[in-house]
Amino acid sequence: MRLSPALWSTPAAYLNHAAPDLPVLFFSPATLQDTARRFLAGFPGLVTYAVKANDGDAVLDNLMTAGIEAFDVASPFEMEKIRARNPRAVLHYNNPVRSEAEIRIALGYGMASWSVDDPFELDKLLAAGLPDRTEIAVRLRLPVAGAAYHFGAKFGADPDLAVALLKRVAEAGFVPAMTFHPGTQCEAASAWVTYIEASADVARRAGVRLARLNVGGGFPSHRTGDAPALEVIFAAIGEATARAFGADAPALVCEPGRGLVAESFTLAARIKAIRHDGSVFLNDGIYGGLAELPIVGNIDRITVLGEEGWRTGAAVERVVFGPTCDSLDRLKGAVGLPADARPGDYVVFRGLGAYSTATVTRFNGYGAIEIVTTDFPG
Ligand SMILES: *Cc1c(COP(=O)(O)O)cnc(C)c1O
């Protein structure tokens, strides 16, 4: 992937000019900075960016310019990437499973917070010589619905174990905190509220006052229907914390990935062919920039640009395939595309900044995606 230095006003301006035959991701720094400022202004606590959603250099630079100073890092590579840009950035190591070598590397970078969800992982941390008064956040998991898919299947301690871990953290003299991740693309605030109430219950049962509560990521991006009302979620998180913890309310932290970065990228994939059965082949698919669509669901913000302008025909449901020779490489179900779409046109997908560049593969020789900077995402 290369970052094109040219600045175009819109994706259409570039597509009309360059007629690229490779997929293009258009990056709007202004949109990313606006979203970052919206989180900073609205979230009632510290905003950290979950680097895994998109670790592009331009993304990190623009987030820092907008005022993001804290980052959720999961691997030595991510730590190094942030430290290289900002030696004073605050790093939270919230991947709760770490090798001893990774722990040593992280100690070298200086972590402000470590999450833990397992007694053996806590043993490793307690033996590792963390500086005094380091924060250790116990990661809770609950069977909560509401996310496009949830992370509880992999990480997190059930409430009884969380109580035991929290007691041990406090007894060992570390700063006790809790964390959870409600899943990704949570459309409703209820997922956070349930977790906040359960966290307060765990802290009460452990007899521990939490210094901080990290409410994870999961903030939705605009995929279908109306744009999500982030401020409603922010307010619900603040109110639930005050209600559940009362006078002992911990300081809040969040770690959005998708919610911060998704809207700042737009993907244009070219129609390679429309086949005799009406199916459409694009030059990008699930092994490239569209990896998430089969997992999180198709988006409905799709337009088609032809040589003469945006296609306006009535939507026709089409099966959409990616370019590789793997039959899994198709979008779910059918996608409505304008009836007058033609081979050579560009199918433009809005809001694809999260888990797109981050997960692109070169499977079957595809996956070379050009990144072009634009003033506006669409
Ligand atoms: C992936 C991840 C996030 C970011 O999730 P989004 O749904 O992209 O906001 C936040 N915290 C943790 C621990 C994660 O693993």
Side-chain angles (χ1 to χ4, degrees):
M1 265 176 277
R2 69 191 173 83
L3 190 69
S4 165
L7 184 74
W8 299 83
S9 60
T10 61
Y14 178 80
L15 294 171
N16 287 328
H17 169 85
D21 205 45
L22 291 178
V24 182
L25 268 164
F26 294 97
F27 171 49
S28 162
T31 302
L32 180 61
Q33 291 202 27
D34 285 351
T35 311
R37 293 195 187 97
R38 192 171 164 195
F39 269 88
L40 290 167
F43 182 77
L46 176 68
V47 180
T48 72
Y49 173 59
V51 175
K52 81 170 186 285
N54 186 326
D55 67 359
D57 293 342
V59 167
L60 300 176
D61 289 343
N62 279 281
L63 286 173
M64 289 180 184
T65 301
I68 301 282
E69 294 169 338
F71 297 83
D72 165 30
V73 289
S75 60
F77 179 84
E78 292 183 353
M79 295 167 196
E80 160 62 26
K81 220 165 173 183
I82 300 298
R83 272 281 173 267
R85 301 192 133 61
N86 178 0
R88 289 180 310 283
V90 174
L91 301 183
H92 290 184
Y93 194 174
N94 283 340
N95 181 345
V97 181
R98 315 167 177 96
S99 72
E100 282 169 13
E102 286 172 333
I103 292 173
R104 277 193 300 277
I105 294 169
L107 279 173
Y109 284 115
M111 298 295 124
S113 183
W114 305 64
S115 72
V116 71
D117 67 351
D118 180 274
F120 298 125
E121 292 300 312
L122 181 55
D123 291 343
K124 275 191 215 166
L125 285 190
L126 296 186
L130 266 48
D132 286 349
R133 308 303 299 154
T134 296
E135 176 179 281
I136 298 182
V138 174
R139 179 154 168 181
L140 177 67
R141 80 161 155 209
L142 298 172
V144 172
Y149 67 91
H150 76 98
F151 287 58
K154 186 161 181 183
F155 294 127
D158 298 329
D160 288 348
L161 177 57
V163 169
L165 291 171
L166 194 57
K167 279 186 185 162
R168 281 187 64 199
V169 167
E171 281 162 14
F174 291 96
V175 175
M178 284 184 68
T179 184
F180 57 81
H181 182 53
T184 200
Q185 188 68 16
C186 287
E187 307 263 347
S190 53
W192 284 275
V193 172
T194 307
Y195 261 107
I196 289 165
E197 288 166 355
S199 301
D201 193 50
V202 166
R204 240 187 324 269
R205 285 173 56 203
V208 169
R209 186 188 176 280
L210 299 183
R212 293 203 293 185
L213 177 63
N214 180 337
V215 300
F219 297 89
S221 66
H222 188 182
R223 297 181 71 88
T224 59
D226 295 332
L230 290 175
E231 285 73 13
V232 172
I233 296 174
F234 297 155
I237 288 172
E239 283 157 21
T241 304
R243 207 170 45 239
F245 288 88
D248 274 348
L252 288 171
V253 179
C254 68
E255 48 190 19
R258 173 193 309 286
L260 258 178
V261 77
E263 190 62 17
S264 59
F265 282 79
T266 296
L267 179 85
R270 198 170 206 184
I271 299 180
K272 295 178 72 175
I274 300 180
R275 311 241 298 165
H276 65 278
D277 59 1
S279 62
V280 168
F281 276 65
L282 300 180
N283 67 355
D284 197 18
I286 72 158
Y287 295 100
L290 297 171
E292 263 218 322
L293 270 56
I295 304 168
V296 180
N298 289 338
I299 60 175
D300 65 8
R301 296 197 302 151
I302 299 176
T303 46
V304 175
L305 185 71
E307 232 174 307
E308 314 82 38
W310 296 102
R311 300 292 187 192
T312 55
V316 176
E317 299 278 293
R318 295 192 185 272
V319 171
V320 175
F321 290 105
T324 69
C325 300
D326 180 351
S327 52
L328 285 179
D329 191 5
R330 63 167 284 187
L331 303 187
K332 247 190 200 164
V335 178
L337 296 178
D340 49 345
R342 296 281 170 269
D345 287 0
Y346 295 97
V347 181
V348 177
F349 300 82
R350 292 287 302 273
L352 283 189
Y355 311 106
S356 51
T357 60
T359 55
V360 163
T361 75
R362 295 305 304 265
F363 177 49
N364 225 176
Y366 293 96
I369 301 182
E370 185 180 14
I371 299 187
V372 172
T373 303
T374 51
D375 289 328
F376 302 100

